């Protein structure tokens, strides 16, 4: 098993603001993909994320407001099956620290390398959304390679 | 053991240009840190990378011009001891694909999460250097959290 790990720090004194960006349709559409449907604020809900090339359906697996959000892939690309995504938030002085994990990849395939880099850009998009009021969700996302 | 993985695609028809950016002082100073000393073009050489907060000495462990570069940490932070860093390059139509691995972390510590995100920004800096002639090496690097 292999995991993608990231850490970003967002200049904010509000865990709740970051939690909201991870659990509301408007929040998620502001940093990951503009084409987001569903509410992420209740365990068991399905959130539909769509991109130009496809998408992911995530089941909200765990919520600890305002510090933890966990999703399980409900439907999506084969390589993502069985993986989970978690966001753990904590306040550290002037920053909300986001500890991110996309866990349980069965193999460290080339697509996992791509997704690791791509997640970094989306987490920095989340940071921009909270700090500056504007993220870079798909289709305005940062392109990293020939796949996107 | 845990690994950091990334993939970027650089619009270029020259593996050699990217290889040079990974093996010359000027190249490395153009995307990772402006304060780079040593030549990375010979196995066994030590390259000294310095940042505001500290630095790394890398031993060139393996070279396959123009498609593979491997470094071993010679000196640096405790968490990096025993780790290796590799860059594998391949041409895919209009792109040079960089497969990056920072391997063999003994534990997935918080600093590893930070370094994963930070590597993404530096690899995108390498992409900018080749595509646009200008990267974002330290101290002009993208700040991701309260650690840098």
């Amino acid at each position: 098993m292999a995991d993608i790990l990231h850490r970003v720090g967002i200049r904010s004194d509000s865990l709740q603001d970051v939690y909201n960006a991870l659990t509301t349709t408007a929040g998620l559409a502001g940093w990951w993909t503009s084409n987001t449907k569903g509410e992420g604020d209740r365990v068991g809900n399905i959130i539909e994320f769509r991109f130009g090339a496809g998408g992911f359906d995530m089941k909200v697996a765990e919520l600890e407001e305002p510090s933890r959000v966990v999703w399980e892939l409900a439907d999506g690309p084969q390589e993502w099956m069985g993986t989970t995504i978690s966001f753990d938030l904590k306040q550290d002085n002037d920053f909300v620290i986001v500890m991110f994990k996309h866990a349980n990849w069965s193999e460290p395939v080339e697509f996992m390398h791509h997704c690791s880099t791509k997640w970094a850009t989306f987490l920095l998009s989340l940071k921009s959304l909270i700090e500056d009021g504007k993220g870079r969700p798909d289709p305005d996302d940062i392109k990293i390679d020939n796949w996107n």
Side-chain angles (χ1 to χ4, degrees), chain A residues 2 6-7 24 26 42 45 54-55 59 80 84-85 92-93 105 137:
Chain A
H6 286 296
R7 181 187 195 271
T24 65
R42 192 184 300 186
N45 277 9
K59 187 171 90 172
W80 282 42
T84 62
I85 291 168
D92 186 349
N93 293 306
W105 290 71

Side-chain angles (χ1 to χ4, degrees), chain A residues 106-123:
Chain A
S106 59
E107 298 289 339
V109 291
E110 191 160 351
F111 187 51
M112 181 181 166
H113 292 65
H114 166 88
C115 292
S116 176
T117 313
K118 202 76 198 183
W119 273 124
T121 67
F122 282 122
L123 290 163

